[in-house]
Amino acid sequence: MKLWTDQEFDVYSQNTRLSDNVLAASREVLVLGEVGSVAAEKYGVWAPQISRAIKVLRNNQSKILADVESVSNVRESKKVELVQEARNLFGMDLVVKSAKAGENYVGPAVLESPGYFMIQRTGRIAILHELGKLEKIPALNVRLDISYPSNGDLAKVSEVNPEHSREIER
């Protein structure tokens, strides 16, 4: 079993309802490699509580890593942090997809990791854009049309005027 870093543990343990003692014991197991029953005894909790907590934490890890391949370098950890921040803001079930060549995305830019990534809401999902692949860095909380050419060139970023957007008349 690969041990987690303290930073990984902090990311995966956000938004859990685990008590401080259960989290501390779980940290010992997942970060330091301690045996669950020993960590449980040390923090005055039951061993089954640690087993359940580790399951919760591994589920959180799986959700976060579904969109992020690796947290081994700064760029990847910035991606993890931004995706987690988006899920904290919009709910843990938020689907975050990476932008693809040949696609067009319309919606407001809601979060940014300066110099690395930006999250754009496009309805029920969020799109993760690499800032280095955009022709310009857009402002946050502005409705944008981001178009990626099929040839891999920089994506065109333009603001969508409210009068040109589709309105639903009632």
Side-chain angles (χ1 to χ4, degrees), residues 76-160:
E76 291 301 316
S77 66
K78 293 288 184 187
K79 187 186 293 186
V80 169
E81 290 169 8
L82 192 62
V83 168
Q84 182 62 38
E85 188 177 346
R87 288 188 172 138
N88 288 344
L89 190 61
F90 299 108
M92 289 303 286
D93 294 335
L94 178 69
V95 175
V96 180
K97 296 183 177 183
S98 294
K100 295 180 182 173
E103 296 290 328
N104 185 58
Y105 305 99
V106 177
V110 292
L111 293 170
E112 180 183 346
S113 176
Y116 293 96
F117 301 100
M118 176 191 75
I119 297 276
Q120 178 187 28
R121 282 301 297 262
T122 58
R124 293 184 181 165
I125 66 168
I127 303 299
L128 179 71
H129 298 277
E130 292 185 49
L131 293 179
K133 293 184 178 181
L134 303 177
E135 68 178 9
K136 65 180 181 179
I137 297 175
L140 291 178
N141 300 314
V142 174
R143 189 168 166 79
L144 302 170
D145 183 348
I146 301 178
S147 299
Y148 285 84
S150 298
N151 63 6
D153 285 348
L154 293 179
K156 183 179 179 192
V157 179
S158 56
E159 289 186 21
V160 176

